[in-house]
Amino acid sequence: MSVQPPARLGALARFCGVGALGFAVDSSLLLGLMPVLGSTWGRVVSLLGSMTLTWVLNRSFTFDHRPRVQSRLGEWGAYCLLMGVGALVNFAVYWAYMRWTPQPSFAALVGVALGSGAGLCVNFVSARFLLQRVAGEAPVEPA
């Protein structure tokens, strides 16, 4: 007899796994964009890229029990709006760390890691409990 973890723990584990992939994309994009856009604008673009990836993956794997909304663009917009709160926390921690650290390349990765950790809880709660309401759906619990 196997013991299944509660559905919320499974969703949190999947959310963290998707977040780890988002972190990899965020960091990679930032390091590639810093020479062209600098650390601030490079981070804005890298956050949008990672946010889009995590929306697709969370939609497909983390919260796959939810019914789909009519408009993917509307759902992506709602996701970005809600994740934007966590992204602001993320970016604020990143920005503060970058201002206090003299080594931009290495500091950028540490700043991304610190910011990602700071935004994780805000984003999970937003995605888990608010996304469907913002997208105009009734929340559905997993079976």
Side-chain angles (χ1 to χ4, degrees):
M1 177 177 201
S2 68
V3 176
Q4 296 292 323
R8 288 187 179 114
L9 286 178
L12 179 58
R14 289 188 301 273
F15 192 83
C16 289
V18 166
L21 290 173
F23 171 79
V25 167
D26 192 357
S27 299
S28 298
L29 283 174
L30 177 61
L31 289 177
L33 293 171
M34 276 179 64
V36 178
L37 299 177
S39 63
T40 301
W41 285 108
R43 186 67 203 283
V44 169
V45 173
S46 71
L47 271 172
L48 285 173
S50 66
M51 218 185 295
T52 299
L53 172 75
T54 58
W55 167 69
V56 169
L57 294 176
N58 279 322
R59 183 179 200 274
S60 301
F61 302 113
T62 305
F63 304 112
D64 59 340
H65 63 278
R66 293 181 174 172
R68 300 292 183 231
V69 295
Q70 294 292 330
S71 166
R72 285 187 179 189
L73 183 60
E75 184 179 291
W76 179 79
Y79 182 85
C80 287
L81 178 68
L82 290 173
M83 298 302 106
V85 175
L88 287 175
V89 170
N90 184 327
F91 188 79
V93 171
Y94 166 80
W95 184 85
Y97 185 80
M98 290 298 288
R99 295 297 168 246
W100 296 328
T101 305
Q103 302 169 340
S105 294
F106 176 72
L109 294 179
V110 174
V112 170
L114 292 172
S116 296
L120 175 72
C121 292
V122 172
N123 286 342
F124 180 75
V125 169
S126 294
R128 174 76 173 82
F129 297 104
L130 300 176
L131 182 58
Q132 286 182 304
R133 288 183 182 98
V134 171
E137 303 171 13
V140 176
E141 289 296 321

